[in-house]
Amino acid sequence: MLAKKDFVSPPKLVAAAASLFGGEITLDPASSEHANSIVQAEKYFDWRNNGLKQEWKSKNIYLYPPRDVSLKSEQPKSDLLFTKISYFKKSNQRVWLETAYKKWLKREFNEGIILLTSSEVALISMQKIGIDLPMCILKEHPRLLEDNKKLKPIKHSKVFGFVFYMPPIQDYQTRIHDFHRQYSDLGRVYL
């Protein structure tokens, strides 16, 4: 389940995603009213209408998952008939990344940007889960904001930032090149 209170993405990272998407973000599946004042997605899901349980039919997504943990009862059930899935307490960032990856493979959305602030989840996703996507490791700690009306920057935030890109099938190579060009000023890009 989504946390009722979490953090908001830095405007600089949201602007980079919007620029990559041609100026608009169509869906933020893990957001809030305050966060969407920064993201300005056409549609968003907050903790009350849990985006993990929704369809993400959209042109693109911007996702900064909650930073708390997800109990096994709160995790989406697998739709694979003969695959045994282990449900255990997991980072919500991992649950949301896995969900986004599955929805991208099903083509519920065309392309997406996912910001993770958990280095453990970023490594697990590549090494154990096998999610192989273009990624930017940010050179600066992301300046997260408080999720309230004031949107004040969090002081002394020492989280690392990992931006994953889920490119569209159409113009796959061109869009990966666009991602590299857009994010190479923000950090080290791996394709």
Side-chain angles (χ1 to χ4, degrees):
M1 183 163 149
L2 290 171
K4 293 180 183 178
K5 181 172 174 153
D6 207 356
F7 301 113
V8 176
S9 299
K12 181 166 117 176
L13 296 180
V14 173
S19 177
L20 179 68
F21 295 150
E24 66 181 1
I25 296 171
T26 54
L27 176 65
D28 183 350
S31 194
S32 70
E33 180 183 351
H34 303 117
N36 200 53
S37 70
I38 300 291
V39 177
Q40 297 182 3
E42 290 177 17
K43 182 177 181 179
Y44 71 92
F45 302 123
D46 62 17
W47 64 273
R48 288 181 291 271
N49 52 14
N50 190 347
L52 290 171
K53 297 179 179 180
Q54 306 293 332
E55 283 193 351
W56 294 7
K57 297 285 184 193
S58 63
K59 182 179 173 185
N60 62 55
I61 67 155
Y62 176 81
L63 171 62
Y64 173 46
R67 294 172 33 100
D68 55 356
V69 295
S70 177
L71 303 174
K72 74 179 188 177
S73 62
E74 298 170 333
Q75 297 172 32
K77 302 298 180 227
S78 174
D79 56 356
L80 300 175
L81 187 57
F82 298 108
T83 302
K84 183 178 178 186
I85 303 294
S86 296
Y87 293 100
F88 49 89
K89 190 165 103 174
K90 292 181 187 175
S91 160
N92 251 327
Q93 292 209 342
R94 177 176 173 177
V95 171
W96 281 87
L97 176 62
E98 289 174 356
T99 300
Y101 188 68
K102 290 173 189 172
K103 289 179 177 290
W104 175 68
L105 290 174
K106 288 183 193 176
R107 299 294 168 233
E108 283 191 32
F109 59 91
N110 193 37
E111 64 183 328
I113 289 288
I114 300 167
L115 168 64
L116 297 180
T117 53
S118 168
S119 52
E120 180 181 2
V121 172
L123 289 172
I124 285 172
S125 68
M126 293 181 298
Q127 294 175 348
K128 290 188 178 180
I129 304 170
I131 294 176
D132 187 17
L133 296 167
M135 176 182 66
C136 174
I137 300 175
L138 300 174
K139 61 185 169 186
E140 297 176 3
H141 297 286
R143 297 272 311 189
L144 303 174
L145 308 174
E146 293 178 4
D147 190 2
N148 57 37
K149 287 182 183 179
K150 293 183 181 179
L151 293 166
K152 290 180 10 182
I154 305 290
K155 292 184 180 182
H156 311 297
S157 175
K158 296 297 181 192
V159 297
F160 292 100
F162 303 87
V163 177
F164 286 86
Y165 177 53
M166 297 176 172
I169 291 178
Q170 313 85 337
D171 299 324
Y172 182 83
Q173 291 298 330
T174 302
R175 295 301 289 150
I176 288 176
H177 177 73
D178 293 344
F179 171 74
H180 182 270
R181 188 175 61 247
Q182 182 72 32
Y183 283 85
S184 59
D185 288 342
L186 299 174
R188 181 77 181 252
V189 177
Y190 297 89
L191 304 176

